[in-house]
Amino acid sequence: AADRAPAAGRHALERAGHVKMIVLDKTGTITKGQPSVTDVVVKNERFTETEILRLAASVEKGSEHPLGEAVVAEAGNRELKLSEPQAFKATAGHGVEAHVDGLHVSVGSPRMMSELKIGTSGYDADVSRLQGEGKTTVLVAIDNVIAGAIAIADTVKDGSIEAIQQFHKMGIKVAMLTGDNQQTAQAIAKQVGIDQVLADVLPGDKAAEVKKLQSQGYVTAMVGDGVNDAPALAQADVGIASVLARMSPWHRRLLC
């Protein structure tokens, strides 16, 4: 059948047989891509946990990121009435900002807060603890002062561990690519048996990370299912636009 396939298809099959490193995007590939809020930490008297979540969810209404959707879903579970965000701004891989009810609300990673020059010292220990539990933690700043932290966790897909074990049996190393910080990423990687963790990677830098692996001599396959993964899929020697749990035995045989 391969002899009758178009030239591009034959070349892809040939390259697949030489793959020595497979790069898996974390969210939606290794994990279910359906994160949910697990913790809300508030250490001030100005805002309650409920109000922090409501304000954060009001901002995240304008976001299509799975973490933002998790915050909005949790607010829905608690039957909170959200406000319409004004002057919404999203920074890929960092977080979102908007005006809500006359307040400037920023929701994002510790890196985002650092770039906005917002101090996080009062929450650093909480963030470290939550990240060590494998939870992605976003900080909520109101009028440029940290007001709370929200921890969000995704669960590993059924079959992810088994699939990674099969790659190892084939002699293929497995790397995980994620925008999560190193501590959170390592916690997930430990669960599933990842060889190499590529963490803190912004969406626009995914292809560059694949290129680095290629420069180290690895014939590389990339597996991802999002629009943000397209450049990395194109950069890899073999790009598989599929989620790991749906990877059929035929897909796996391509790599043996």
Side-chain angles (χ1 to χ4, degrees):
D3 292 338
R4 297 193 297 273
R10 290 199 304 273
H11 293 159
L13 291 172
E14 291 168 2
R15 290 195 300 271
H18 297 286
V19 166
K20 293 301 179 184
M21 173 72 79
I22 185 161
V23 182
L24 305 175
D25 183 61
K26 190 205 81 173
T27 304
T29 302
I30 295 174
T31 63
K32 293 180 179 179
Q34 298 175 334
S36 59
V37 171
T38 59
D39 306 79
V40 180
V41 180
V42 179
K43 294 182 174 181
N44 67 80
E45 298 179 355
R46 185 182 176 191
F47 299 99
T48 64
E49 175 182 317
T50 296
E51 187 64 3
I52 290 295
L53 184 62
R54 189 189 74 82
L55 289 169
S58 294
V59 176
E60 294 285 11
K61 281 176 62 177
S63 171
E64 296 180 353
H65 194 282
L67 297 182
E69 292 174 353
V71 173
V72 174
E74 179 62 18
N77 292 339
R78 300 191 189 193
E79 299 182 346
L80 304 183
K81 185 176 181 180
L82 305 186
S83 299
E84 287 300 320
Q86 305 296 322
F88 174 83
K89 176 184 177 182
T91 304
H94 289 292
V96 293
E97 302 174 68
H99 292 287
V100 179
D101 298 339
L103 302 169
H104 183 261
V105 183
S106 305
V107 185
S109 65
R111 182 192 297 180
M112 174 185 178
M113 298 304 163
S114 177
E115 293 186 357
L116 293 175
K117 301 189 184 307
I118 298 174
T120 63
S121 59
Y123 286 84
D124 287 347
D126 298 285
V127 170
S128 180
R129 172 179 60 82
L130 293 165
Q131 289 175 344
E133 296 171 1
K135 300 171 183 176
T136 300
T137 306
V138 297
L139 294 168
V140 182
I142 298 175
D143 292 337
N144 296 316
V145 177
I146 295 295
I150 301 174
I152 302 162
D154 198 358
T155 54
V156 171
K157 283 183 176 178
D158 294 337
S160 289
I161 295 174
E162 178 188 14
I164 291 167
Q165 289 174 340
Q166 288 181 18
F167 289 134
H168 286 154
K169 288 177 181 178
M170 296 175 193
I172 299 172
K173 291 186 177 181
V174 183
M176 182 177 75
L177 186 62
T178 177
D180 284 344
N181 68 87
Q182 189 70 224
Q183 191 175 11
T184 300
Q186 288 288 355
I188 298 296
K190 186 176 180 180
Q191 291 182 45
V192 297
I194 293 293
D195 300 299
Q196 185 169 346
V197 174
L198 308 173
D200 286 312
V201 181
L202 297 176
D205 295 335
K206 290 183 176 182
E209 291 296 328
V210 173
K211 190 172 182 179
K212 285 180 186 178
L213 293 172
Q214 292 171 318
S215 72
Q216 295 168 18
Y218 290 109
V219 177
T220 304
M222 170 71 191
V223 181
D225 70 335
V227 174
N228 289 333
D229 299 330
L233 290 168
Q235 174 63 45
D237 298 285
V238 179
I240 302 173
S242 173
V243 293
L244 191 59
R246 292 203 302 265
M247 192 180 293
S248 66
W250 181 84
H251 277 122
R252 294 173 188 158
R253 284 198 297 272
L254 284 179
L255 302 174
C256 63

